[in-house]
Amino acid sequence: MKLIITRFDQGKYETVIIRDDGVSYRLKGVAHMFAIPHDLAHFLVEKTLRLHRGFWGNVADGAVFKTMSYIGGRRKPKAAERSESLLKVNAAPLNEAEAVVRIFNDTIEQGHQENSPVLRERLRSRLARPGLEFRRFSDAEISEVYSAYRDMLAKWQELPVGGSMELKW
């Protein structure tokens, strides 16, 4: 799947999604301001940590979120049913990915380093519920996320208004 993220002024952006099946969608950027777009944060965290059933993995597999607008391409029969099924089956991994992305994004933007006890505690206690154990992330994985974030931030800051970057999922 290919993602084309275009930078607009005042922190706005949009993502064009071209799935491997040829179907394409537009995704308007979320309203809150971060150092990098929320969609890019999802991309780098999910890809780096191999969260294949997070937001982008679900989109690649055929899920369509309400925030996505159809652009073109032939949709398979029963595509809507497949999307609904994916979103239902992957509800927990989607929530987990959202929480992890938000934790990394907030923690990095607040200036906490990768060895920060704040980051460790946030990751440990995310969506805590009795009897539910979440995946733990190694020091190497956390370091990879921080490195990917720094790289993405540099690319985004260099991108002029009206410019686009292409990413492959």
Side-chain angles (χ1 to χ4, degrees):
M1 176 172 69
K2 181 166 58 170
L3 308 175
I4 303 167
I5 301 171
T6 303
R7 182 179 190 153
F8 300 126
D9 61 352
Q10 300 176 347
K12 296 181 180 168
Y13 66 97
E14 76 174 18
T15 304
V16 171
I17 302 156
I18 305 165
R19 290 195 323 221
D20 292 344
D21 63 4
V23 179
S24 57
Y25 293 90
R26 176 171 287 110
L27 179 63
K28 296 282 186 192
V30 295
H32 19 103
M33 298 286 288
F34 298 109
I36 63 173
H38 187 66
D39 297 340
L40 281 179
H42 265 278
F43 177 85
L44 77 87
V45 171
E46 291 177 13
K47 191 161 186 150
T48 302
L49 297 176
R50 292 166 288 290
L51 302 176
H52 301 295
R53 294 188 303 156
F55 180 81
W56 290 115
N58 272 281
V59 171
D61 287 344
V64 178
F65 292 83
K66 290 179 176 132
T67 54
M68 296 167 57
S69 303
Y70 173 74
I71 297 174
R74 183 181 163 114
R75 292 182 269 196
K76 294 179 182 176
K78 303 205 182 241
E81 291 87 349
R82 173 155 174 73
S83 172
E84 189 176 315
S85 175
L86 281 168
L87 294 174
K88 187 175 182 179
V89 168
N90 291 328
L94 277 163
N95 286 335
E96 167 75 350
E98 189 66 46
V100 170
V101 169
R102 187 62 187 239
I103 288 167
F104 273 104
N105 201 54
D106 288 354
T107 305
I108 291 169
E109 287 200 3
Q110 291 164 0
H112 298 286
Q113 299 304 311
E114 59 194 73
N115 59 355
S116 165
V118 171
L119 174 64
R120 305 292 179 185
E121 177 55 26
R122 288 176 179 173
L123 287 171
R124 188 191 63 70
S125 64
R126 69 191 182 274
L127 301 175
R129 291 190 297 265
L132 185 60
E133 186 69 30
F134 288 113
R135 175 178 158 199
R136 299 195 188 281
F137 301 107
S138 70
D139 291 345
E141 288 174 314
I142 291 170
S143 185
E144 282 182 74
V145 170
Y146 269 72
S147 178
Y149 192 98
R150 284 189 296 272
D151 291 347
M152 190 64 75
L153 177 60
K155 289 175 185 169
W156 184 251
Q157 289 174 334
E158 291 172 5
L159 191 67
V161 170
S164 298
M165 68 171 63
E166 284 189 22
L167 302 168
K168 184 79 173 152
W169 176 262

